[in-house]
Each structure stands twice: as structure tokens, then as C-alpha cells.
């Protein structure tokens, strides 16, 4: 039977070096290296270099004041994580393998001072065979991180940003620069035999009056395929169905079960979220268990209908779950922290539960980030939150055309396939998308389509590995990027992004714009609002928050979203104090989103949904379009949206 040891249980250290200087040592034992620039400090795994350094007092709190600028030097060192594999973990029969689910971003794996593997991709797991390199005892494991790419941030050329590393923490309009380095997901030592389950894909649906489920399994196995596969479907109390088939037959045809007595899974607000466990066990020729996988599934059918009154050639934007149309009231999800390696499950649960309680039913995972941890998708299943998952591509402002060179086609296709294999079994995941705000050409504003070679590859992978889920080329999918009021009524606005800021008084242009809106779907709409006065003071780093102008460097941490000029225009003076500005700005954000969301939902089924940009702050911005603040607490805008969802659901 496969054995798995959790390397996070071990004591780790991390030390920093002038690039490549560590290579001069024969021992490569960081505790004995006199040339270390930063001597070893304790490190958590998963965890970032930055967090380890902050905990050791080497870095300041980058969330306070202008301290983020004092942390950028970390990018200019090489960092070595080190631990010793316990002798008690060795001596088992089988091959020893290191499985790293998330290394950010590039470097080497060393065992006992010898480089045995390299890596350069934060988006896919790394698996390394340790068996040929293990010593009889005291095996010293090191993970070396080299300097990350210099720039992958918000502005530049999408076609040139080909490094498979999350871009957002190079700075965006809602976060300062903190380029994470470190181990961001699980790290495991596996002991495996020849008979292993290499891959498993699962699709589910429910039919016959929502009382009969369908389960389809397809997998890849290693070894000689002379054994068998035992499959079970279980609920919390008992085994619903069980079958054992030949391993060779499973690989050739997979397994399909129909007529399963299961309950339907519903999105938030429509019903319950019953979940089941699929257990797949690999039995060798003697009937002895060699490997086992378990996956959480639910049973739901998702289809799409045309919006009422839509043009004949328009994409369908009414989501139908289990034969019930619903308005998609969503929120755009960005990573919880720039140092996302250090985020805990309770951080995910707090924010996702907040969205559930506010009445949201859809989470769009934005393409400038990464495939979130397993717990994110599991929690979305449990909370009834549908997921719109983007592959890791995003616009760059200057040019927004996805890369199409041969190396990028290979790299990003590998990433997309990995994403699909790892998470497409989740019942909540209803849309896969090529990325954020991608364009069809290096100039122009038309959203990208399937004629782009990389987007076409994404589409084909989704058809193969998640055939019951929708694929979108980009967010927005167009045909227009945004909605122009002068073209309302012409049928050209299907799925669009924007606007993100209301100019002037809300009772003027903003209200008229939404009263006339004809878009079939709104995938990003925002309005700025300040954080609370208490949070602003907490993270000011001792600097004065007044005046509220871009001359104050504290407000330049998110300069797009400061509306002090609008305050002066409305009041004829500067705000008397921070509290007055915050109260005004938060009320303005709440009213702007109430008008926009209310107008879109009132048009259902002529409009299929509304997704707020954005959900939560990952940096304590003093002003931002988020509806949850840095601590995950709702701003007045979040409560206003909850009232919109609740009021219109009752009507």
C-alpha cells in the first residue's frame, strides 16, 4: 500500500545567499556555510521566505505604511530550505518519491549536497524520484530557490509574460509588490510500488426528476494491469454502490454508473449541498491493496439557455442548475494574500462563508493568480458556491494578447491539463476560462477567441477532461469588451467587463447608464470605497493619513481608487477628518453597487448575472473596489448587495 509522509511535520530552516555563492560549498549544508548572507531561520512548510524572515525579525510588516519597499531585496537572493528526513520514514518496500504541489518559482532539489532535479513552474506539481540518491541514514533534503523574474506585474505585454508564476504579487492596483518565494502547497514523501493509480478524472450529473445520479470514471494506472480496481460510492453513513473490475478494463473503458440513488446538489439559496465520496482502490494480482484515491463529488446538472430577447447569434447566459434557471450573483476572487503560501484554511473559510451568508452564489477565480488550494474548492462544494475558474493568464495593459510561441503553448497547455485533472471533479466548478481580459490581437479591444492556438488548446482539454462543463475563451468573452451607452439597444453587448468607477453624482450618469443597460452578462463591475478609519490608522505605519490626496504616499499605494476630488466637488471643501471621508466614500460605494446590481437582477432573465469586482483585499489598501476589507470584514457595500439579492429574491 502506498505510504505518504507529510514533510510539513519536520523542522525546516531557510537561509539566504548572494546568487550562486552557495554552489561553492562542497557540503551544501546551510548550517555550516560561512558565506550565507542571511543565516538560517526557522521556516514553516508550506510557507514563504518572506513570512519566515518577518517572524525572525529580518523583515518589517510589509502591510504597514511604506514598508513593502523595504522587502524587495528578498527577490535578489537565493534561498535554501533545509530539513532532515527521519530514518524511521525509510526502510519500507517501494520507490521513494518527493511530491511538491507548489514551488514558487524556480530552483533545484538537492539531497545530501547533490542536485538531483530542477524546477521552473509555480503552477504545476513537481515529482522527484529520491530512491537512487538516498543514503542509509541522515538524509539532508534541500530546496533551493533562485531569483524570480524581474517583472510580471499589471502593466506590460501579455504575450511576453511567459514565465509560469503568479503575476499579481508583482503589484496590481490593489496590492503592493511582494514577490513571493517559497513552498506554497503540500510537500510529501511517497513510498510507492509498481501498481499505482496515476490519474483519475470524474464527471457527475443527475437525471430522472433529480433522483438518479450518473457517475463516470476514467483513469491511468502504472504497472502490468494484472490486478483489479475496486470502486465505491459512499455517503456519510454507508456504501451506495460498489464494483470491482479488471484493471485493464478500467484503463480501456473507464466505468459508468447510472441510476444512482443520490440527492441533487444545489447552489447557495436554492437548496442543500449533499456530498459523496468516490473511493478508488488498486488491488494487485493477489487482491492486496496497493493504492487508493478518494474524491469528494456532488450530483448536479448545469446547462445554459439564451437570455430573453437576446440576439439570435448571442452566447447563452442564463445558467440552469438541475432544470432551475438562476441569476448568477457573483464575486471576483483574488488571492487572499500576496504571500499566499502562508494562508490557512480558516482564512479561506472566513471569506467564503461571508460570501455565502451575503447571498452570493458564484466565485470567479481571476486569471492573474493560481489554482487555489484543495480546501478552496472543497469549501465551495460545501457552501454551495459555484466556481468560474480561469487559467493563469491576464491582461497587461500595454498589450493583452496571449503568448503563442511554441514553448508557451507547451507550458500553458501542461498547466491547464494539470488544473483540470486536479480539480474538475468538484461539483461547484461549472466554468473553465482561458484567462482575464485577453484580446484577439496585439492592438484593439476585441476579446480573444478559439482561433488563438493556446485558447483552442485550452478548449480541447476542457472538452476531453471536463466535458460537462462550459469553456469561455476569456473574461469578458465579448463580442465587445465593455458596454458603451451610445450602443445600448443594438444587441452587441453580451458578456462585458466594467465600469469600475462612477463619475460625477450617482443620480446622474450612473443611474441612467444602468437604467438603459442591455448587456446579457456583467462579469466585472466595481465601485471604489475606502477601508474603515480604524483599519487605515492600524496600517498607516505611524504616518499621517491626512491629507487624502495623491501627494500623500499612503494613498498612492492604491492611487486609482482615491475619490477625494469627487468629495471636494460635492461638498465644496476638503473632508474635515478621516471619519467623514470614510463615511462618505463607503456610502457612495454601497449606493453605486446597489444601483448597478439591482438594475441587472431586475432584468433577469434578460440579464444572466452580475459579478462584483472585487471581493476581498489582499493588502490593506486605504481605498479599493473590494467589498470585504483586509481582515475579511464586510464593508457597507457588501451589506447593500446582500439586501439587493434578498429583496429581489422575495419579489
Amino acid at each position: 500500500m502506498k505510504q505518504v509522509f507529510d514533510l510539513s511535520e519536520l523542522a525546516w530552516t531557510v537561509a539566504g545567499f548572494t546568487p550562486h555563492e552557495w554552489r561553492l560549498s562542497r557540503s551544501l549544508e546551510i548550517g555550516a556555510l560561512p558565506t550565507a548572507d542571511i543565516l538560517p531561520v526557522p521556516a514553516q512548510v508550506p510557507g514563504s521566505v518572506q513570512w519566515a524572515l518577518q517572524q525572525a525579525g529580518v523583515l518589517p510588516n510589509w502591510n504597514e505604511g511604506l514598508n513593502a519597499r523595504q522587502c524587495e531585496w528578498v527577490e535578489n537572493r537565493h534561498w535554501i530550505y533545509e530539513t532532515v528526513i527521519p530514518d524511521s520514514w525509510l526502510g519500507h518496500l517501494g520507490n521513494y518519491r518527493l511530491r511538491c504541489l507548489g514551488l514558487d518559482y524556480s530552483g533545484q532539489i538537492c539531497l545530501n549536497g547533490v542536485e538531483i532535479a530542477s524546477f521552473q513552474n509555480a503552477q504545476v506539481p513537481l515529482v522527484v524520484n529520491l530512491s537512487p540518491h538516498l543514503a542509509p541514514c541522515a538524509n539532508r533534503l534541500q530546496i533551493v530557490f533562485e531569483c524570480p523574474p524581474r517583472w510580471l506585474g499589471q502593466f506590460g505585454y501579455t504575450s511576453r509574460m511567459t514565465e509560469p508564476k503568479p503575476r499579481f504579487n508583482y503589484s496590481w492596483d490593489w496590492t503592493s509588490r511582494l514577490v513571493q518565494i517559497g513552498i506554497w502547497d503540500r510537500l510529501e514523501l511517497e513510498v510507492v510500488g509498481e501498481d499505482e493509480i496515476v490519474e483519475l478524472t470524474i464527471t457527475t450529473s443527475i437525471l430522472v426528476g433529480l433522483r438518479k445520479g450518473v457517475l463516470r470514471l476514467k483513469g491511468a494506472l502504472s504497472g502490468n494491469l494484472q490486478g483489479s480496481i475496486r470502486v465505491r460510492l459512499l455517503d456519510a453513513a454507508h456504501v451506495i454502490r460498489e464494483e470491482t473490475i479488471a484493471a485493464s478494463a478500467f484503463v480501456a473503458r473507464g466505468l459508468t454508473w447510472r441510476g444512482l440513488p443520490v440527492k441533487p446538489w444545489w447552489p447557495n439559496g436554492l437548496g442543500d449541498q449533499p456530498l459523496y465520496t468516490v473511493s478508488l482502490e488498486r488491488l494487485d494480482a493477489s487482491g492486496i491493496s496497493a493504492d487508493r484515491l478518494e474524491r469528494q463529488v456532488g450530483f448536479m446538472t448545469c446547462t445554459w439557455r439564451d437570455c430573453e430577447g437576446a440576439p439570435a447569434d448571442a452566447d447563452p447566459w442564463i445558467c440552469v442548475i438541475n432544470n432551475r434557471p438562476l441569476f448568477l450573483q457573483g464575486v471576483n476572487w483574488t488571492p487572499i494574500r500576496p504571500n499566499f503560501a502562508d494562508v490557512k484554511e480558516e482564512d479561506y473559510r472566513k471569506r467564503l462563508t461571508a460570501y455565502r451568508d451575503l447571498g452570493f452564489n458564484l466565485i470567479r477565480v481571476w486569471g492573474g493568480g493560481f489554482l487555489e488550494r484543495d480546501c478552496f474548492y472543497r469549501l465551495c462544494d460545501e457552501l454551495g458556491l459555484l466556481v468560474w475558474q480561469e487559467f493563469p493568464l491576464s491582461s497587461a495593459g500595454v498589450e493583452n494578447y496571449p503568448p503563442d510561441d511554441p514553448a508557451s503553448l507547451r507550458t500553458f497547455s501542461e498547466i491547464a491539463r494539470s488544473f483540470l485533472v486536479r480539480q474538475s471533479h468538484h461539483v461547484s466548478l461549472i466554468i473553465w476560462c482561458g484567462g482575464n481580459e485577453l484580446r484577439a490581437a496585439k492592438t484593439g479591444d476585441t476579446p480573444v477567441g478559439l482561433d488563438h492556438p493556446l485558447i483552442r488548446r485550452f478548449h480541447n482539454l476542457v472538452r476531453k477532461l471536463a466535458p460537462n462543463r462550459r469553456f469561455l475563451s476569456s473574461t469578458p468573452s465579448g463580442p465587445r469588451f465593455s458596454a458603451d451607452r451610445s450602443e445600448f439597444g443594438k444587441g452587441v453587448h453580451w458578456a462585458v467587463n466594467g465600469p469600475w468607477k462612477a463619475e460625477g453624482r450617482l443620480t446622474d450618469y450612473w443611474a441612467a447608464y444602468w437604467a438603459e443597460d442591455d448587456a446579457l452578462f456583467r462579469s466585472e463591475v466595481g465601485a471604489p470605497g475606502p477601508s474603515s478609519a480604524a483599519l487605515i490608522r492600524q496600517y498607516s505605519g505611524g504616518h499621517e493619513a491626512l491629507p487624502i490626496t495623491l501627494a500623500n504616499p499612503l494613498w498612492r499605494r492604491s492611487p486609482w481608487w482615491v475619490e477625494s476630488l469627487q468629495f471636494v466637488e460635492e461638498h465644496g471643501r476638503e473632508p474635515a477628518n478621516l471619519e467623514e471621508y470614510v463615511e462618505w466614500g463607503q456610502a457612495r460605494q454601497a449606493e453605486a453597487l446597489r444601483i448597478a446590481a439591482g438594475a441587472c437582477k431586475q432584468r433577469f432573465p434578460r440579464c444572466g448575472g452580475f459579478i462584483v469586482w472585487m471581493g476581498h483585499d489582499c493588502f490593506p489598501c486605504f481605498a479599493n473596489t473590494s467589498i470585504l476589507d483586509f481582515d475579511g470584514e464586510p464593508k457597507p457595500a457588501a451589506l447593500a448587495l446582500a439586501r439587493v439579492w434578498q429583496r429581489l429574491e422575495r419579489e
Side-chain angles (χ1 to χ4, degrees):
M1 186 70 175
K2 177 193 289 186
Q3 293 181 286
V4 179
F5 298 95
D6 184 357
L7 288 164
S8 69
E9 299 174 357
L10 305 181
W12 288 82
T13 58
V14 65
F17 298 83
T18 300
H20 301 292
E21 190 170 4
W22 54 272
R23 296 181 184 275
L24 302 178
S25 170
R26 292 185 178 182
S27 72
L28 194 60
E29 183 175 353
I30 61 176
L33 284 175
T35 57
D37 186 24
I38 302 297
L39 294 175
V41 299
Q44 67 180 19
V45 171
S48 68
V49 168
Q50 284 90 342
W51 180 253
L53 296 179
Q54 186 186 111
Q55 295 301 106
V58 179
L59 286 185
N61 185 342
W62 49 79
N63 296 310
E64 296 180 355
L66 305 177
N67 285 349
R69 298 175 181 175
Q70 301 176 36
C71 301
E72 294 184 21
W73 64 268
V74 175
E75 304 169 39
N76 300 314
R77 303 291 189 277
H78 285 189
W79 298 94
I80 301 180
Y81 282 80
E82 179 174 294
T83 194
V84 175
I85 300 173
D87 295 344
S88 60
W89 289 9
L90 307 177
H92 303 276
L93 293 177
N95 294 314
Y96 288 83
R97 196 166 61 191
L98 177 68
R99 181 177 294 275
C100 314
L101 291 188
L103 300 178
D104 192 9
Y105 153 72
S106 64
Q108 296 80 37
I109 305 294
C110 300
L111 189 64
N112 300 320
V114 178
E115 295 181 31
I116 61 173
S118 62
F119 58 92
Q120 192 172 358
N121 194 328
Q123 303 281 6
V124 299
L126 173 74
V127 180
V128 181
N129 183 12
L130 298 182
S131 294
H133 312 285
L134 286 168
C137 61
N139 286 273
R140 188 162 33 87
L141 175 66
Q142 291 155 326
I143 302 179
V144 181
F145 290 92
E146 297 185 353
C147 299
R150 292 302 307 145
W151 178 249
L152 293 175
Q154 186 171 12
F155 304 113
Y157 300 80
T158 297
S159 64
R160 303 179 193 175
M161 293 188 179
T162 58
E163 294 91 341
K165 174 176 171 55
R167 287 179 48 192
F168 78 99
N169 52 22
Y170 281 81
S171 78
W172 225 266
D173 58 272
W174 35 268
T175 186
S176 290
R177 180 173 182 137
L178 188 81
V179 179
Q180 174 178 271
I181 301 168
I183 302 166
W184 71 265
D185 207 344
R186 296 196 310 275
L187 203 62
E188 298 169 340
L189 177 68
E190 300 175 332
V191 187
V192 298
E194 293 183 359
D195 297 326
E196 185 182 8
I197 304 168
V198 177
E199 188 175 283
L200 177 64
T201 58
I202 302 174
T203 58
T204 62
S205 59
I206 193 163
L207 306 169
V208 192
L210 305 183
R211 290 178 295 179
K212 300 296 181 181
V214 179
L215 174 70
R216 293 182 175 88
L217 306 178
K218 185 73 175 177
L221 309 175
S222 63
N224 56 26
L225 305 185
Q226 292 184 358
S228 59
I229 295 291
R230 180 162 58 206
V231 183
R232 293 176 176 174
L233 178 68
L234 309 94
D235 62 14
H238 64 284
V239 176
I240 296 172
R241 186 161 176 178
E242 179 176 336
E243 184 175 344
T244 300
I245 64 172
S248 57
F250 180 78
V251 170
R253 301 187 302 272
L255 179 66
T256 299
W257 284 345
R258 303 179 188 276
L260 296 168
V262 294
K263 297 178 181 179
W265 182 96
W266 292 100
N268 183 32
L270 291 187
D272 296 330
Q273 294 80 41
L275 297 170
Y276 301 85
T277 299
V278 173
S279 173
L280 193 74
E281 194 168 11
R282 178 84 185 269
L283 307 176
D284 64 20
S286 303
I288 298 174
S289 179
D291 194 9
R292 181 176 179 175
L293 287 181
E294 288 189 351
R295 297 288 184 266
Q296 174 183 271
V297 301
F299 291 84
M300 173 268 284
T301 296
C302 178
T303 58
W304 297 84
R305 297 178 188 170
D306 293 334
C307 291
E308 184 179 290
D313 59 342
D315 295 333
W317 277 109
I318 300 298
C319 182
V320 182
I321 302 294
N322 301 332
N323 299 323
R324 288 187 61 179
L326 78 156
F327 184 81
L328 293 176
Q329 40 210 44
V331 65
N332 282 281
W333 176 278
T334 53
I336 293 176
R337 293 288 186 266
N339 53 314
F340 56 89
D342 308 304
V343 174
K344 306 301 182 186
E345 181 168 339
E346 53 264 32
D347 300 317
Y348 283 97
R349 184 176 291 277
K350 178 176 183 178
R351 287 154 183 81
L352 290 171
T353 300
Y355 295 135
R356 190 272 311 272
D357 293 346
L358 289 165
F360 289 91
N361 58 29
L362 175 72
I363 306 289
R364 173 193 165 218
V365 183
W366 170 77
F370 57 99
L371 186 73
E372 286 285 355
R373 291 186 184 173
D374 291 344
C375 68
F376 169 86
Y377 303 94
R378 173 172 49 79
L379 288 168
C380 287
D381 288 347
E382 295 173 5
L383 297 170
L385 296 170
L386 300 166
V387 176
W388 171 328
Q389 175 69 54
E390 294 187 348
F391 295 123
L393 290 171
S394 182
S395 60
V398 180
E399 176 253 271
N400 307 301
Y401 182 74
D404 60 4
D405 59 284
S408 293
L409 294 180
R410 291 190 298 272
T411 296
F412 284 95
S413 295
E414 177 192 7
I415 291 170
R417 190 181 194 285
S418 177
F419 279 24
L420 285 156
V421 168
R422 283 187 276 165
Q423 301 298 353
S424 62
H425 62 280
H426 285 283
V427 63
S428 57
L429 213 163
I430 61 168
I431 291 177
W432 290 92
C433 178
N436 173 66
E437 297 183 346
L438 306 174
R439 310 303 207 278
K442 293 185 178 180
T443 58
D445 218 25
T446 302
V448 72
L450 294 181
D451 52 344
H452 188 285
L454 181 54
I455 302 302
R456 188 165 59 250
R457 288 192 180 198
F458 288 167
H459 173 255
N460 291 339
L461 284 166
V462 172
R463 289 183 62 185
K464 179 180 179 181
L465 297 172
N468 60 342
R469 294 299 184 246
R470 186 173 186 176
F471 175 75
L472 298 173
S473 297
S474 177
T475 304
S477 55
R480 300 292 178 89
F481 177 85
S482 58
D484 186 335
R485 185 183 177 191
S486 67
E487 293 190 304
F488 284 164
K490 297 181 180 180
V492 296
H493 302 132
W494 302 355
V496 296
N497 272 13
W500 296 271
K501 181 181 285 190
E503 302 295 341
R505 294 181 181 273
L506 299 181
T507 54
D508 298 335
Y509 183 88
W510 184 261
Y513 176 94
W514 291 104
E516 300 170 14
D517 179 30
D518 71 344
L520 305 182
F521 196 90
R522 290 282 182 168
S523 44
E524 279 194 23
V525 178
S531 296
S532 69
L535 189 145
I536 290 172
R537 289 195 172 94
Q538 179 182 351
Y539 291 103
S540 65
H543 300 277
E544 179 55 55
L546 297 177
I548 305 169
T549 70
L550 296 186
N552 185 334
L554 290 178
W555 292 91
R556 286 205 307 272
R557 303 192 313 173
S558 51
W560 290 17
W561 310 116
V562 179
E563 294 190 297
S564 54
L565 294 180
Q566 180 65 36
F567 181 97
V568 172
E569 182 179 329
E570 288 190 16
H571 295 80
R573 59 174 176 80
E574 300 286 341
N577 50 50
L578 180 61
E579 281 73 12
E580 183 185 29
Y581 179 76
V582 166
E583 182 179 0
W584 168 84
Q586 290 189 339
R588 178 178 169 82
Q589 180 189 31
E591 180 64 6
L593 291 178
R594 184 198 66 79
I595 291 170
C600 289
K601 183 152 187 179
Q602 192 72 50
R603 290 195 298 117
F604 179 75
R606 289 179 293 131
C607 176
F610 181 96
I611 310 182
V612 180
W613 183 270
M614 49 187 276
H616 46 267
D617 271 338
C618 81
F619 182 76
C621 294
F622 288 2
N624 197 6
T625 56
S626 66
I627 60 171
L628 301 185
D629 67 20
F630 181 66
D631 294 329
E633 300 299 326
K635 295 181 180 178
L639 303 179
L641 286 166
R643 289 191 290 271
V644 169
W645 307 146
Q646 294 161 6
R647 176 177 63 82
L648 293 177
E649 283 168 0
R650 290 194 298 267
E651 293 178 357

